[in-house]
């Protein structure tokens, strides 16, 4: 029966010079996690790798004091046939003696270990993770070509809009077809200028999404909704406070642009409240919960099931985070696509260079697991944990 | 201008042998925090003490990596006249570069430092904290006699109901008039027997509250609501999932017993959703948000203001946590009362022995600050941090 023999974690800087409408990322960290079992391949322990996405900092304390000792102390974490790990049993072990509610931070710590566990599960199965997921949860249907968009468009000093254009042109040159930019860090008038500059580069409204990072009050959010309606943008992201569903409902009513939100909700319970109260439209809006920040894929599967019973298809989901783990979920579970952060959150925002980006699609590789071994800059950090 | 010179934290066990319907407390910890300024009294630095209430574990990582360095690095944390600290400025400094949402863990770390800051504020003012709060936020009105109830009534091995009776009798002997017991860890029939045994001891339904710790599904919660209606209990606590406001609304409709909830909501935003969606009745129900777990008193003041604009009086609030900090808030801000945990979460569940408990009321002492110096078992731990 497979057992877990070691779990290590290390806090790693992903400091980035940009800032969005709310925070700067100059001190941003993640926790990188390595999980080992008693299984070997070619004489070496098979290792699973995970990390805490981005934006919510490393979680050394919760990992060291609660999640790692509980998982190492669990009696049975094996699949029914004993030949692989069962991430659901691992999840139960990690969450033992945790009170309900308060979904944040803890969800990030669990998510990092969960990512490493699924990496292991797929490696033990000798398949890429997306294929494992498709077989288990999508009747075998998978699509290794994942739609990605480039999240960037931060503010430049002195309103240097030509730098914003240069940034967006660079994304198109890389093979992206869709991009996202920040709004709300300047006046509405200046943001309109910025949006129009970017539209000149990308050519079409549905190739551009805008992101307010939950900064606006209802009044401002509605004013922006009205102002951007003419551009026919892909989506209008996080217009208002992430838990203020009444405000979201008001903005939704006023917005001709699809709404996207959810990256700062970290549980199935919080996601349910979003779809219950937020007034969103399951035929046009997007949900962006990040599995790595939200108790991992085990909880994300619960979220997808909950969404299904509330009329939301997996195809409306575009996870936050820009990690290769998200690509596998998109490919194996039929999600709309995945975020990408070219050049920021280095190196953890990178995808493997063998996974070519063409016409806005990334093709997943066939290596077993998630494939961080094929991203030298990430693998160098992970092997040091 | 007062400045903060040192902040130290230490993880301390508050292991307790009992379990509620959901978790056991045998590995429960807190973070104890000491904050020092450049002010001295009698040649010694004035120290502020805080800790993380109970139930959500210590927060070493978030304290060491984020909150403490940010607060130590803040340029200006002084009140307008420069003679005291400004906990609101401190709060802004600690929460810099934190993304919105995800209210848990981080809220606990901030709450522990916030508690120490208010202890300092009151000591610098040379007044007990409740008096400072009354002067600042309650037009000077305070009541040093705080209504407390004894939270206990856990499950005993082998359904030894006589031990439950013995426990409750001991609370009455200590001076308590009201008690709380757990339900949901046994069948409804057995819980009825337990409730009736306790009623025989305390004599009257409004002296007994029951707590399900968010364990029930709606169906079971409603069945319990109907079964306990005849006892006219003080309240029925956390019947269902803490974020499932639709389920709560159903139970509320079915319950003749007042509902109490909120101890597992850790922000003003989450509390607003409870009063918006939970169907609670501001004339009979109780709210139990724990300031020490919810970003501290700075956020709790926001919660009280939000409650006021939604028709809820401070007098409907009974904070979770059983800490002396909660007593000061109750006395200075006009809350209904405070929880107490005689004999559990030792030593942090203790109040100062000079604060006599008579007829269900604790009288706050006149020492400056919160007064942990007068609780030898707590002070011994805090001076070691």
């Amino acid at each position: 029966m497979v057992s877990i023999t070691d779990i290590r974690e290390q806090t790693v800087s992903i400091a980035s010079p940009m800032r969005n409408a709310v925070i700067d990322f100059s001190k941003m960290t993640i926790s990188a996690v390595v999980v080992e079992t008693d299984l070997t391949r070619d004489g070496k322990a098979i290792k699973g790798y995970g990390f805490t996405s981005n934006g919510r900092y490393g979680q050394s304390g919760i990992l060291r004091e609660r999640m790692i000792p509980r998982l190492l102390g669990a009696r049975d974490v094996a699949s029914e046939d004993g030949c692989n790990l069962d991430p659901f049993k691992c999840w139960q072990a990690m969450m033992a003696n945790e009170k309900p509610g308060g979904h944040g931070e803890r969800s990030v710590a669990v998510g990092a270990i969960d990512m490493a566990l699924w990496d292991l599960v797929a490696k033990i199965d000798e398949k890429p993770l997306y294929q494992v997921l498709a077989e288990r949860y999508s009747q075998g249907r998978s699509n290794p070509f994942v739609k990605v968009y480039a999240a960037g468009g931060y503010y430049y000093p002195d309103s240097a809009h030509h730098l914003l254009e240069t940034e967006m042109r660079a994304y198109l040159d890389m093979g992206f077809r869709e991009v996202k930019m920040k709004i709300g860090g300047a006046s509405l008038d200046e943001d309109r200028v910025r949006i129009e500059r970017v539209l000149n580069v990308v050519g079409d409204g549905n190739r551009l999404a805008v992101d307010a990072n939950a900064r606006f009050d209802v009044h401002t959010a509605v004013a922006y909704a009205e102002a951007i309606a003419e551009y026919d943008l892909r989506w209008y992201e996080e217009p208002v406070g992430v838990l203020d569903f009444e405000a979201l409902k008001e903005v939704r009513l006023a917005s001709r642009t699809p709404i996207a939100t959810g990256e700062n909700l970290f549980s199935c319970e919080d996601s349910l409240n979003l779809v219950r109260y937020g007034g969103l439209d399951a035929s046009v809006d997007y949900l962006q919960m990040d599995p790595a920040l939200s108790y991992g894929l085990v909880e994300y599967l619960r979220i997808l099931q909950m969404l299904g019973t509330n009329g939301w298809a997996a195809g409306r989901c575009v996870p936050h985070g820009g990690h290769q783990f998200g690509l596998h979920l998109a490919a194996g579970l039929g999600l709309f696509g995945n975020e990408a952060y070219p050049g920021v959150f280095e190196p953890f925002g990178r995808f493997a260079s063998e996974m070519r980006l063409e016409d806005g699609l990334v093709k997943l590789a066939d290596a077993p697991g998630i494939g961080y071994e094929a991203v030298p800059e990430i693998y160098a950090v992970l092997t040091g944990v």
Side-chain angles (χ1 to χ4, degrees), chain A:
Chain A
M1 201 171 75
V2 179
S3 67
I4 294 173
T5 52
D6 195 20
I7 309 173
R8 299 185 297 280
E9 63 82 31
Q10 190 177 295
T11 303
V12 178
S13 170
I14 52 165
S16 300
M18 78 289 181
R19 51 174 300 122
N20 66 25
V22 180
I23 76 164
D24 85 56
F25 289 85
S26 63
K27 294 188 177 165
M28 188 52 62
T29 59
I30 57 159
S31 292
V33 169
V34 182
V35 179
E36 292 183 20
T37 70
D38 52 358
L39 291 180
T40 57
R41 188 150 297 152
D42 306 326
K44 285 190 215 161
I46 306 177
K47 294 179 186 181
Y49 298 110
F51 58 90
T52 53
S53 189
N54 71 67
R56 308 298 305 205
Y57 298 96
Q59 298 295 341
S60 63
I62 298 172
L63 285 166
R64 284 177 190 231
E65 292 164 12
R66 286 145 64 187
M67 302 309 159
I68 293 175
R70 285 180 197 150
L71 187 48
L72 285 175
R75 281 205 195 148
D76 171 17
V77 293
S79 59
E80 221 164 295
D81 64 7
C83 301
N84 206 325
L85 291 169
D86 181 343
F88 297 84
K89 284 184 186 169
C90 294
W91 201 95
Q92 290 301 332
M94 287 192 278
M95 289 296 287
N97 296 321
E98 291 287 324
K99 290 185 77 173
H103 302 304
E105 317 277 351
R106 167 176 91 180
S107 65
V108 177
V110 171
I113 294 178
D114 171 274
M115 191 193 292
L117 292 169
W118 286 100
D119 188 32
L120 271 171
V121 164
K123 282 172 178 166
I124 293 169
D125 269 3
E126 301 188 77
K127 292 173 184 169
L129 177 59
Y130 77 87
Q131 201 180 317
V132 174
L133 298 179
E135 288 167 9
R136 293 192 184 188
Y137 306 111
S138 301
Q139 293 87 44
R141 285 190 304 269
S142 68
N143 179 358
F145 292 92
V146 177
K147 189 179 174 83
V148 290
Y149 69 93
Y154 295 91
Y155 285 89
Y156 290 89
D158 306 322
S159 301
H161 300 316
H162 64 285
L163 294 176
L164 183 60
E165 290 173 316
T166 306
E167 178 191 341
M168 294 298 168
R169 246 180 243 114
Y171 297 149
L172 299 187
D173 291 345
M174 288 175 202
F176 287 102
R177 285 296 162 266
E178 301 190 16
V179 300
K180 187 169 83 182
M181 64 184 285
K182 300 298 177 187
I183 56 171
S187 69
L188 175 50
D189 281 345
E190 187 173 336
D191 274 340
R192 284 183 70 120
V193 172
R194 293 172 64 250
I195 290 169
E196 288 170 13
R197 293 277 204 128
V198 174
L199 284 174
N200 280 337
V201 177
V202 300
D204 194 314
N206 70 21
R207 293 189 166 178
L208 174 61
V210 293
D211 182 2
N213 289 102
R215 180 203 177 93
F216 296 144
D217 58 26
V218 178
H219 178 77
T220 311
V222 167
Y224 266 78
E226 288 165 357
I228 65 175
E230 61 172 305
Y231 303 125
D232 283 326
L233 300 178
R234 168 64 76 177
W235 70 62
Y236 177 19
E237 180 169 331
E238 286 201 326
V240 290
V242 301
L243 289 162
D244 190 345
F245 305 124
E246 295 304 301
L248 183 64
K249 197 157 63 176
E250 266 191 67
V251 178
R252 185 70 206 80
L253 280 171
S255 179
R256 256 176 41 205
T257 312
I259 298 289
T261 191
E263 73 173 64
N264 290 303
L265 300 178
F266 304 121
S267 67
C268 190
E269 288 180 322
D270 286 295
S271 304
L272 173 58
N273 283 336
L274 172 64
V275 301
R276 271 180 173 166
Y277 303 123
L280 297 181
D281 181 341
S283 65
V284 298
D285 294 325
Y286 299 91
L287 300 176
Q288 304 174 299
M289 287 74 80
D290 181 338
L293 297 178
S294 310
Y295 297 107
L297 176 54
V298 167
E299 179 87 354
Y300 197 74
L301 290 166
R302 292 182 196 129
I303 291 175
L304 289 178
Q305 186 165 33
M306 176 280 290
L307 289 176
T309 61
N310 284 276
W312 286 81
R316 301 313 305 168
C317 294
V318 200
H320 167 272
H323 37 71
Q324 209 161 289
F325 184 59
L327 293 180
H328 281 276
L329 271 58
L333 301 172
L335 310 185
F336 178 84
N338 198 43
E339 191 166 17
Y341 299 105
V344 294
F345 302 126
E346 284 281 3
F348 286 85
R350 288 190 176 228
F351 302 146
S353 54
E354 65 185 287
M355 288 162 32
R356 297 279 292 282
L357 173 64
E358 272 182 75
D359 214 18
L361 300 172
V362 164
K363 183 174 188 297
L364 276 160
D366 289 331
I370 301 172
Y372 292 128
E373 291 82 353
V375 195
E377 299 83 354
I378 296 179
Y379 192 53
V381 176
L382 293 173
T383 50
V385 173

